[in-house]
mmCIF file of all heavy atoms in Angstrom:
data_model
loop_
_atom_site.group_PDB
_atom_site.id
_atom_site.type_symbol
_atom_site.label_atom_id
_atom_site.label_comp_id
_atom_site.label_asym_id
_atom_site.label_seq_id
_atom_site.Cartn_x
_atom_site.Cartn_y
_atom_site.Cartn_z
ATOM 1 N N ALA W 132 151.072 111.785 109.887
ATOM 2 C CA ALA W 132 149.976 111.278 109.049
ATOM 3 C C ALA W 132 150.440 110.077 108.240
ATOM 4 O O ALA W 132 149.739 109.063 108.159
ATOM 5 C CB ALA W 132 149.466 112.379 108.125
ATOM 6 N N GLY W 133 151.626 110.158 107.653
ATOM 7 C CA GLY W 133 152.169 109.040 106.888
ATOM 8 C C GLY W 133 152.401 107.819 107.761
ATOM 9 O O GLY W 133 152.121 106.684 107.358
ATOM 10 N N ALA W 134 152.887 108.046 108.985
ATOM 11 C CA ALA W 134 153.113 106.927 109.908
ATOM 12 C C ALA W 134 151.801 106.260 110.304
ATOM 13 O O ALA W 134 151.712 105.034 110.355
ATOM 14 C CB ALA W 134 153.862 107.414 111.158
ATOM 15 N N VAL W 135 150.787 107.060 110.563
ATOM 16 C CA VAL W 135 149.482 106.517 110.928
ATOM 17 C C VAL W 135 148.922 105.705 109.760
ATOM 18 O O VAL W 135 148.421 104.594 109.934
ATOM 19 C CB VAL W 135 148.508 107.648 111.325
ATOM 20 C CG1 VAL W 135 147.105 107.122 111.496
ATOM 21 C CG2 VAL W 135 148.972 108.322 112.606
ATOM 22 N N LEU W 136 149.036 106.243 108.546
ATOM 23 C CA LEU W 136 148.524 105.543 107.368
ATOM 24 C C LEU W 136 149.345 104.298 107.040
ATOM 25 O O LEU W 136 148.893 103.446 106.274
ATOM 26 C CB LEU W 136 148.481 106.490 106.164
ATOM 27 C CG LEU W 136 147.435 107.589 106.261
ATOM 28 C CD1 LEU W 136 147.608 108.600 105.132
ATOM 29 C CD2 LEU W 136 146.026 107.007 106.267
ATOM 30 N N GLY W 137 150.521 104.163 107.652
ATOM 31 C CA GLY W 137 151.339 102.960 107.491
ATOM 32 C C GLY W 137 150.638 101.707 108.003
ATOM 33 O O GLY W 137 151.047 100.596 107.679
ATOM 34 N N ALA W 138 149.581 101.884 108.795
ATOM 35 C CA ALA W 138 148.788 100.734 109.237
ATOM 36 C C ALA W 138 147.963 100.163 108.082
ATOM 37 O O ALA W 138 147.507 99.018 108.154
ATOM 38 C CB ALA W 138 147.857 101.137 110.384
ATOM 39 N N LEU W 139 147.778 100.959 107.030
ATOM 40 C CA LEU W 139 146.945 100.548 105.899
ATOM 41 C C LEU W 139 147.720 100.381 104.598
ATOM 42 O O LEU W 139 147.300 99.631 103.721
ATOM 43 C CB LEU W 139 145.835 101.588 105.652
ATOM 44 C CG LEU W 139 144.949 101.977 106.822
ATOM 45 C CD1 LEU W 139 144.011 103.105 106.417
ATOM 46 C CD2 LEU W 139 144.182 100.781 107.320
ATOM 47 N N LEU W 140 148.823 101.130 104.466
ATOM 48 C CA LEU W 140 149.518 101.241 103.187
ATOM 49 C C LEU W 140 151.017 101.031 103.340
ATOM 50 O O LEU W 140 151.571 101.316 104.403
ATOM 51 C CB LEU W 140 149.282 102.642 102.601
ATOM 52 C CG LEU W 140 147.849 103.047 102.310
ATOM 53 C CD1 LEU W 140 147.740 104.563 102.201
ATOM 54 C CD2 LEU W 140 147.383 102.376 101.034
ATOM 55 N N PRO W 141 151.693 100.601 102.270
ATOM 56 C CA PRO W 141 153.153 100.566 102.309
ATOM 57 C C PRO W 141 153.703 101.999 102.390
ATOM 58 O O PRO W 141 152.977 102.960 102.063
ATOM 59 C CB PRO W 141 153.538 99.885 100.998
ATOM 60 C CG PRO W 141 152.342 99.899 100.132
ATOM 61 C CD PRO W 141 151.143 100.111 101.016
ATOM 62 N N PRO W 142 154.951 102.180 102.811
ATOM 63 C CA PRO W 142 155.490 103.526 103.072
ATOM 64 C C PRO W 142 155.313 104.549 101.950
ATOM 65 O O PRO W 142 154.884 105.671 102.204
ATOM 66 C CB PRO W 142 156.971 103.260 103.359
ATOM 67 C CG PRO W 142 156.987 101.870 103.900
ATOM 68 C CD PRO W 142 155.919 101.127 103.152
ATOM 69 N N SER W 143 155.634 104.213 100.718
ATOM 70 C CA SER W 143 155.516 105.206 99.644
ATOM 71 C C SER W 143 154.058 105.594 99.402
ATOM 72 O O SER W 143 153.745 106.766 99.187
ATOM 73 C CB SER W 143 156.154 104.691 98.352
ATOM 74 O OG SER W 143 155.521 103.488 97.943
ATOM 75 N N ALA W 144 153.157 104.629 99.448
ATOM 76 C CA ALA W 144 151.732 104.927 99.276
ATOM 77 C C ALA W 144 151.206 105.725 100.462
ATOM 78 O O ALA W 144 150.364 106.612 100.288
ATOM 79 C CB ALA W 144 150.933 103.641 99.093
ATOM 80 N N ALA W 145 151.694 105.431 101.664
ATOM 81 C CA ALA W 145 151.261 106.178 102.850
ATOM 82 C C ALA W 145 151.669 107.642 102.742
ATOM 83 O O ALA W 145 150.885 108.540 103.087
ATOM 84 C CB ALA W 145 151.838 105.546 104.116
ATOM 85 N N ARG W 146 152.876 107.902 102.239
ATOM 86 C CA ARG W 146 153.313 109.299 102.055
ATOM 87 C C ARG W 146 152.453 110.010 101.005
ATOM 88 O O ARG W 146 152.053 111.157 101.185
ATOM 89 C CB ARG W 146 154.789 109.354 101.671
ATOM 90 C CG ARG W 146 155.723 109.087 102.845
ATOM 91 C CD ARG W 146 157.163 109.399 102.493
ATOM 92 N NE ARG W 146 157.673 108.601 101.388
ATOM 93 C CZ ARG W 146 158.170 107.364 101.488
ATOM 94 N NH1 ARG W 146 158.230 106.792 102.668
ATOM 95 N NH2 ARG W 146 158.606 106.723 100.426
ATOM 96 N N ALA W 147 152.159 109.316 99.899
ATOM 97 C CA ALA W 147 151.325 109.917 98.851
ATOM 98 C C ALA W 147 149.904 110.162 99.369
ATOM 99 O O ALA W 147 149.304 111.208 99.096
ATOM 100 C CB ALA W 147 151.299 109.013 97.617
ATOM 101 N N ALA W 148 149.375 109.208 100.116
ATOM 102 C CA ALA W 148 148.032 109.360 100.682
ATOM 103 C C ALA W 148 148.003 110.517 101.676
ATOM 104 O O ALA W 148 147.037 111.291 101.708
ATOM 105 C CB ALA W 148 147.586 108.061 101.345
ATOM 106 N N ALA W 149 149.058 110.648 102.484
ATOM 107 C CA ALA W 149 149.133 111.757 103.442
ATOM 108 C C ALA W 149 149.178 113.096 102.709
ATOM 109 O O ALA W 149 148.560 114.068 103.153
ATOM 110 C CB ALA W 149 150.341 111.594 104.358
ATOM 111 N N ALA W 150 149.869 113.146 101.586
ATOM 112 C CA ALA W 150 149.933 114.383 100.804
ATOM 113 C C ALA W 150 148.545 114.750 100.278
ATOM 114 O O ALA W 150 148.147 115.929 100.313
ATOM 115 C CB ALA W 150 150.915 114.235 99.643
ATOM 116 N N ALA W 151 147.789 113.755 99.804
ATOM 117 C CA ALA W 151 146.423 114.024 99.341
ATOM 118 C C ALA W 151 145.551 114.499 100.500
ATOM 119 O O ALA W 151 144.784 115.460 100.361
ATOM 120 C CB ALA W 151 145.836 112.772 98.690
ATOM 121 N N LEU W 152 145.675 113.826 101.655
ATOM 122 C CA LEU W 152 144.890 114.239 102.824
ATOM 123 C C LEU W 152 145.260 115.644 103.284
ATOM 124 O O LEU W 152 144.404 116.373 103.801
ATOM 125 C CB LEU W 152 145.071 113.259 103.978
ATOM 126 C CG LEU W 152 144.258 111.981 103.951
ATOM 127 C CD1 LEU W 152 144.481 111.182 105.228
ATOM 128 C CD2 LEU W 152 142.777 112.248 103.758
ATOM 129 N N ALA W 153 146.511 116.027 103.106
ATOM 130 C CA ALA W 153 146.931 117.374 103.497
ATOM 131 C C ALA W 153 146.140 118.424 102.713
ATOM 132 O O ALA W 153 145.763 119.470 103.269
ATOM 133 C CB ALA W 153 148.429 117.558 103.277
ATOM 134 N N HIS W 154 145.854 118.152 101.450
ATOM 135 C CA HIS W 154 145.056 119.087 100.651
ATOM 136 C C HIS W 154 143.597 119.115 101.112
ATOM 137 O O HIS W 154 142.975 120.173 101.135
ATOM 138 C CB HIS W 154 145.146 118.728 99.166
ATOM 139 C CG HIS W 154 146.494 118.989 98.580
ATOM 140 N ND1 HIS W 154 146.983 120.257 98.346
ATOM 141 C CD2 HIS W 154 147.475 118.139 98.192
ATOM 142 C CE1 HIS W 154 148.194 120.181 97.843
ATOM 143 N NE2 HIS W 154 148.526 118.911 97.743
ATOM 144 N N VAL W 155 143.069 117.958 101.484
ATOM 145 C CA VAL W 155 141.713 117.914 102.035
ATOM 146 C C VAL W 155 141.677 118.725 103.331
ATOM 147 O O VAL W 155 140.799 119.571 103.529
ATOM 148 C CB VAL W 155 141.253 116.462 102.303
ATOM 149 C CG1 VAL W 155 139.902 116.444 103.015
ATOM 150 C CG2 VAL W 155 141.185 115.654 101.010
ATOM 151 N N GLY W 156 142.652 118.469 104.201
ATOM 152 C CA GLY W 156 142.725 119.173 105.480
ATOM 153 C C GLY W 156 142.869 120.674 105.317
ATOM 154 O O GLY W 156 142.254 121.454 106.051
ATOM 155 N N ALA W 157 143.661 121.090 104.328
ATOM 156 C CA ALA W 157 143.851 122.528 104.081
ATOM 157 C C ALA W 157 142.550 123.175 103.619
ATOM 158 O O ALA W 157 142.202 124.269 104.065
ATOM 159 C CB ALA W 157 144.955 122.741 103.050
ATOM 160 N N ALA W 158 141.817 122.500 102.739
ATOM 161 C CA ALA W 158 140.534 123.041 102.271
ATOM 162 C C ALA W 158 139.556 123.186 103.438
ATOM 163 O O ALA W 158 138.855 124.190 103.557
ATOM 164 C CB ALA W 158 139.946 122.137 101.181
ATOM 165 N N PHE W 159 139.531 122.186 104.310
ATOM 166 C CA PHE W 159 138.666 122.256 105.490
ATOM 167 C C PHE W 159 139.117 123.395 106.411
ATOM 168 O O PHE W 159 138.295 124.164 106.906
ATOM 169 C CB PHE W 159 138.702 120.931 106.256
ATOM 170 C CG PHE W 159 137.742 119.878 105.763
ATOM 171 C CD1 PHE W 159 137.600 119.575 104.423
ATOM 172 C CD2 PHE W 159 136.991 119.156 106.660
ATOM 173 C CE1 PHE W 159 136.723 118.600 103.982
ATOM 174 C CE2 PHE W 159 136.108 118.171 106.244
ATOM 175 C CZ PHE W 159 135.969 117.900 104.896
ATOM 176 N N ALA W 160 140.415 123.493 106.654
ATOM 177 C CA ALA W 160 140.937 124.493 107.583
ATOM 178 C C ALA W 160 140.653 125.918 107.108
ATOM 179 O O ALA W 160 140.403 126.807 107.931
ATOM 180 C CB ALA W 160 142.435 124.290 107.786
ATOM 181 N N LEU W 161 140.688 126.137 105.792
ATOM 182 C CA LEU W 161 140.397 127.475 105.262
ATOM 183 C C LEU W 161 139.008 127.957 105.650
ATOM 184 O O LEU W 161 138.756 129.152 105.720
ATOM 185 C CB LEU W 161 140.545 127.491 103.737
ATOM 186 C CG LEU W 161 141.973 127.522 103.219
ATOM 187 C CD1 LEU W 161 141.986 127.365 101.695
ATOM 188 C CD2 LEU W 161 142.683 128.797 103.641
ATOM 189 N N GLN W 162 138.108 127.032 105.899
ATOM 190 C CA GLN W 162 136.745 127.388 106.312
ATOM 191 C C GLN W 162 136.537 127.213 107.815
ATOM 192 O O GLN W 162 135.399 127.227 108.296
ATOM 193 C CB GLN W 162 135.729 126.543 105.536
ATOM 194 C CG GLN W 162 135.716 126.849 104.066
ATOM 195 C CD GLN W 162 135.476 128.331 103.796
ATOM 196 O OE1 GLN W 162 134.652 128.978 104.422
ATOM 197 N NE2 GLN W 162 136.234 128.885 102.861
ATOM 198 N N GLY W 163 137.625 127.027 108.542
ATOM 199 C CA GLY W 163 137.528 126.879 109.992
ATOM 200 C C GLY W 163 137.052 125.508 110.434
ATOM 201 O O GLY W 163 136.663 125.330 111.589
ATOM 202 N N LEU W 164 137.068 124.535 109.547
ATOM 203 C CA LEU W 164 136.624 123.184 109.885
ATOM 204 C C LEU W 164 137.825 122.364 110.354
ATOM 205 O O LEU W 164 138.562 121.795 109.552
ATOM 206 C CB LEU W 164 135.959 122.519 108.671
ATOM 207 C CG LEU W 164 134.712 123.211 108.140
ATOM 208 C CD1 LEU W 164 134.192 122.506 106.905
ATOM 209 C CD2 LEU W 164 133.642 123.272 109.217
ATOM 210 N N ARG W 165 138.016 122.310 111.663
ATOM 211 C CA ARG W 165 139.137 121.586 112.264
ATOM 212 C C ARG W 165 138.628 120.268 112.828
ATOM 213 O O ARG W 165 137.622 120.239 113.532
ATOM 214 C CB ARG W 165 139.766 122.402 113.383
ATOM 215 C CG ARG W 165 140.146 123.810 113.023
ATOM 216 C CD ARG W 165 141.412 124.011 112.299
ATOM 217 N NE ARG W 165 142.549 123.350 112.900
ATOM 218 C CZ ARG W 165 143.697 123.219 112.252
ATOM 219 N NH1 ARG W 165 143.833 123.694 111.043
ATOM 220 N NH2 ARG W 165 144.704 122.616 112.809
ATOM 221 N N LEU W 166 139.328 119.190 112.508
ATOM 222 C CA LEU W 166 138.942 117.883 113.032
ATOM 223 C C LEU W 166 139.341 117.733 114.488
ATOM 224 O O LEU W 166 138.599 117.200 115.292
ATOM 225 C CB LEU W 166 139.608 116.758 112.230
ATOM 226 C CG LEU W 166 138.867 116.330 110.982
ATOM 227 C CD1 LEU W 166 139.119 117.281 109.843
ATOM 228 C CD2 LEU W 166 139.249 114.927 110.617
ATOM 229 N N ALA W 167 140.547 118.183 114.815
ATOM 230 C CA ALA W 167 141.112 117.966 116.146
ATOM 231 C C ALA W 167 140.567 118.960 117.157
ATOM 232 O O ALA W 167 140.211 120.083 116.818
ATOM 233 C CB ALA W 167 142.632 118.071 116.089
ATOM 234 N N ASP W 168 140.547 118.523 118.400
ATOM 235 C CA ASP W 168 140.178 119.423 119.479
ATOM 236 C C ASP W 168 141.381 119.710 120.370
ATOM 237 O O ASP W 168 141.252 120.209 121.465
ATOM 238 C CB ASP W 168 139.001 118.872 120.292
ATOM 239 C CG ASP W 168 139.181 117.415 120.686
ATOM 240 O OD1 ASP W 168 140.274 116.853 120.481
ATOM 241 O OD2 ASP W 168 138.230 116.838 121.209
ATOM 242 N N ALA W 169 142.586 119.406 119.852
ATOM 243 C CA ALA W 169 143.833 119.695 120.550
ATOM 244 C C ALA W 169 144.816 120.273 119.531
ATOM 245 O O ALA W 169 144.748 119.952 118.343
ATOM 246 C CB ALA W 169 144.403 118.428 121.182
ATOM 247 N N ASP W 170 145.732 121.118 119.993
ATOM 248 C CA ASP W 170 146.679 121.768 119.086
ATOM 249 C C ASP W 170 147.592 120.791 118.359
ATOM 250 O O ASP W 170 148.070 121.079 117.275
ATOM 251 C CB ASP W 170 147.538 122.780 119.852
ATOM 252 C CG ASP W 170 146.736 123.991 120.284
ATOM 253 O OD1 ASP W 170 145.670 124.245 119.678
ATOM 254 O OD2 ASP W 170 147.171 124.679 121.225
#
Side-chain angles (χ1 to χ4, degrees):
V135 171
L136 291 171
L139 307 174
L140 300 161
S143 59
R146 285 191 299 276
L152 279 185
H154 291 289
V155 174
F159 275 46
L161 283 173
Q162 294 305 318
L164 299 177
R165 308 280 310 167
L166 274 80
D168 48 9
D170 290 339

